[in-house]
Amino acid sequence: MSSLTTPSLSPAARLRGLKPDWLADPKVWRTEVLAGLVVALALIPEAISFSVIAGVDPALGLFASFTMAVTIAVVGGRRAMISAATGAVALVIAPLNREHGLGHLVAAVILAGLFQVVLGALGVAKLMRFIPRSVMVGFVNSLAVLIFMAQVPEMRDVPWAVYPLIAGGLALMVLFPRITTVVPAPLVSIVILTAITVGAAIAVPTVGDKGTLPSSLPAPGLPDVPFTLDTLTTIAPYAFAMALVGLMESLMTAKLVDDITDTPSNKTRESVGQGIANIVTGFFGGMGGCAMIGQTMINVKVSGARTRLSTFLAGAFLMVLCVAFGPIVSDIPMAALVAVMVMVSFATFDWHSVAPGTLRRMPAGEIAVMVITVVCVVATHNLAIGVVVGSVTAMVVFARRVARFADVTSVTGPDGATVVHRVTGELFFASSNDLVGRFDYANDPDHVVIDLSAAHIWDASSVAALDAIGAKYARRGKTVEITGLNDPSARLHGRLSGELAAEH
């Protein structure tokens, strides 16, 4: 009798099996490194711009992008997603910095991180399942619109040479991948356009015009604020708003990357990781941040990155470029980065969602939800507001649609002494309000049976409606028997019936 044995692996083979993809495969390593470099180059002007929005020194935005990216690469739940200083966070904390100063801003960033850790541990990521697809499509499309709109100021009142440079950059990114995909096309575009502008001494706006790059690494420290209850009450509202906005954008971005890469991610870990990254960023004096959708699209969709290495290197390269190669980076024309972001906006937009064939087949309510999400985001420049308004709208549309399916059919017994009203559908606040008016209280016989075997009771409004129906029949001396309740409906009805107001 022979036995089958599993061949044992050598220590070297086991070690190879434990290696991450980027270390085991040189092609993956090259893709991740080059992707991180492209993202770092694109991060510099963005971080500086967001610093201006927040009203802080550009170095604080760059420090935040560095610490956020490096930290989230280790503690985050979504591989290849980029977190850094963002415009949404800058808008939330700008009033705090303007009214109370930098110390309070930094303290708010640390507190926001603590809020995010707590919310993540409590399972706030599970709320993502309540965001419908139409809101997600609206989120993606509005993001693409915002990315494009953010480039428009860079194309106004500029030297004429900017326009052919942007066109050339776009052409390079479209055509270069047909030659080779070994080097990311955005990196090639940035290098070539920089070489042209520097070599030909073309006077166009550059990265250096956005602000002074830092010349040293950030040092950790405590925020310069009095540690009192008054300080806590001042910063808490801003910190909580920042925590919610940051989590919403980060979780939406993680879900988008999940769909693009067809890989899952741990949203709870991502939520906690965002909090840890903001705490670290606050102690290093940064302005805080969250997931950056535009930079993530550069990393994942344009450059093909899939691991944490690209995220880590994006932050590391950012500081290296600023500290060691500041003069060179300052010469990069803004036209090159504008071209990259315009390409990202076109790649991000879900063109299928607005195709005539799709619009003809899609229910009007779904289209309305998508449009409302886009309009709210574009109008407020706040992705979180658009998602909340879109989700609420989708719930209202869904409630109205489901409410129409609740129906009552009546059958009178042969002896005429009993009538059976068969209720079908879902009974909740939207459908139960109309239920009371579906019965003939005056002309029905003395014994009324309400059959709920094809219905389900979801809330107190439905129980109150049934109580009201029973009360209306009772005032006419008629008895009501409710039958067919499934177990959850029976438990809810038994617990609440008679405890709620019977009249409507």
Side-chain angles (χ1 to χ4, degrees):
M1 181 176 176
S2 62
S3 61
L4 295 176
T5 59
T6 303
S8 60
L9 296 175
S10 66
R14 286 198 297 269
L15 184 61
R16 283 195 299 271
L18 294 174
K19 287 182 180 180
D21 292 343
W22 57 266
L23 193 58
D25 188 343
K27 292 182 180 178
V28 175
W29 182 86
R30 181 177 61 241
T31 298
E32 300 297 311
V33 171
L34 293 176
L37 180 57
V38 173
V39 172
L41 290 170
L43 270 175
I44 294 173
E46 296 253 325
I48 294 174
S49 299
F50 298 146
S51 300
V52 173
I53 293 173
V56 299
D57 187 275
L60 298 186
L62 293 165
F63 289 159
S65 296
F66 162 62
T67 53
M68 287 292 297
V70 169
T71 306
I72 205 68
V74 178
V75 300
R78 174 64 257 177
R79 296 180 179 182
M81 192 167 78
I82 304 297
S83 292
T86 59
V89 169
L91 287 170
V92 171
I93 61 176
L96 178 63
N97 179 62
R98 187 167 55 249
E99 296 170 15
H100 299 280
L102 179 61
H104 282 74
L105 182 150
V106 173
V109 171
I110 296 173
L111 183 59
L114 291 172
F115 281 143
Q116 288 177 328
V117 170
V118 172
L119 290 171
L122 291 175
V124 70
K126 295 178 181 177
L127 296 176
M128 284 296 296
R129 63 188 176 187
F130 293 107
I131 298 178
R133 182 185 179 279
S134 53
V135 174
M136 191 67 189
V137 173
F139 170 81
V140 171
N141 289 347
S142 58
L143 162 67
V145 173
L146 285 184
I147 293 174
F148 183 83
M149 288 175 61
Q151 312 314 311
V152 173
E154 304 297 336
M155 295 184 275
R156 287 180 182 159
D157 301 322
V158 292
W160 67 268
V162 167
Y163 303 110
L165 286 172
I166 293 175
L170 291 171
L172 280 169
M173 284 183 284
V174 171
L175 299 175
F176 189 79
R178 299 181 182 181
I179 301 173
T180 180
T181 57
V182 172
V183 182
L187 180 59
V188 174
S189 177
I190 292 171
V191 171
I192 290 178
L193 293 187
T194 303
I196 291 174
T197 55
V198 173
I202 302 174
V204 291
T206 64
V207 170
D209 296 332
K210 288 289 182 180
T212 304
L213 302 182
S215 57
S216 61
L217 294 174
L222 295 174
D224 184 18
V225 293
F227 292 90
T228 63
L229 182 60
D230 183 60
T231 299
L232 180 62
T233 55
T234 299
I235 67 173
Y238 295 95
F240 192 67
M242 174 184 164
L244 292 179
V245 169
L247 280 181
M248 187 172 293
E249 291 210 23
S250 299
L251 293 174
M252 290 291 286
T253 305
K255 189 174 187 303
L256 179 60
V257 178
D258 290 351
D259 294 339
I260 292 173
T261 61
D262 198 24
T263 57
S265 62
N266 188 328
K267 304 300 187 301
T268 297
R269 177 177 172 180
E270 182 61 37
S271 302
V272 174
Q274 288 290 330
I276 295 172
N278 271 305
I279 292 171
V280 172
T281 297
F283 280 119
F284 277 91
M287 58 177 275
C290 62
M292 290 193 76
I293 307 175
Q295 308 302 330
T296 298
M297 290 300 100
I298 293 177
N299 196 46
V300 173
K301 204 164 187 178
V302 179
S303 301
R306 292 293 184 270
T307 76
R308 300 180 188 276
L309 180 63
S310 57
T311 306
F312 180 87
L313 289 179
F317 282 150
L318 174 65
M319 276 294 99
V320 171
L321 290 169
C322 291
V323 175
F325 300 99
I328 297 175
V329 173
S330 296
D331 287 335
I332 295 175
M334 284 301 300
L337 299 176
V338 168
V340 171
M341 298 310 294
V342 168
M343 181 61 71
V344 168
S345 71
F346 276 92
T348 302
F349 196 91
D350 186 350
W351 296 102
H352 176 72
S353 67
V354 295
T358 303
L359 295 177
R360 281 195 301 270
R361 290 189 296 268
M362 192 72 65
E366 301 282 321
I367 297 173
V369 169
M370 180 182 71
V371 172
I372 288 172
T373 302
V374 173
V375 170
C376 286
V377 171
V378 173
T380 63
H381 285 235
N382 191 319
L383 291 162
I385 292 176
V387 171
V388 170
V389 173
S391 297
V392 171
T393 305
M395 291 177 187
V396 172
V397 170
F398 174 76
R400 287 175 57 85
R401 185 182 304 158
V402 174
R404 296 193 187 117
F405 291 112
D407 195 16
V408 179
T409 55
S410 304
V411 178
T412 303
D415 57 358
T418 302
V419 63
V420 178
H421 296 292
R422 180 176 173 81
V423 181
T424 59
E426 308 300 320
L427 299 182
F428 64 110
F429 61 89
S431 58
S432 61
N433 287 333
D434 297 329
L435 188 64
V436 179
R438 302 292 296 275
F439 298 89
D440 189 354
Y441 301 99
N443 298 317
D444 275 349
D446 291 340
H447 186 215
V448 178
V449 177
I450 299 178
D451 180 8
L452 296 176
S453 57
H456 187 97
I457 298 176
W458 287 103
D459 59 7
S461 296
S462 303
V463 177
L466 292 173
D467 285 351
I469 293 168
K472 287 179 180 292
Y473 277 116
R475 283 200 299 271
R476 292 168 173 81
K478 302 175 182 181
T479 59
V480 174
E481 179 186 359
I482 295 177
T483 64
L485 288 170
N486 57 35
D487 289 342
S489 299
R491 285 194 296 268
L492 182 63
H493 184 265
R495 187 168 68 250
L496 297 180
S497 181
E499 302 297 327
L500 305 169
E503 291 291 344
H504 279 232

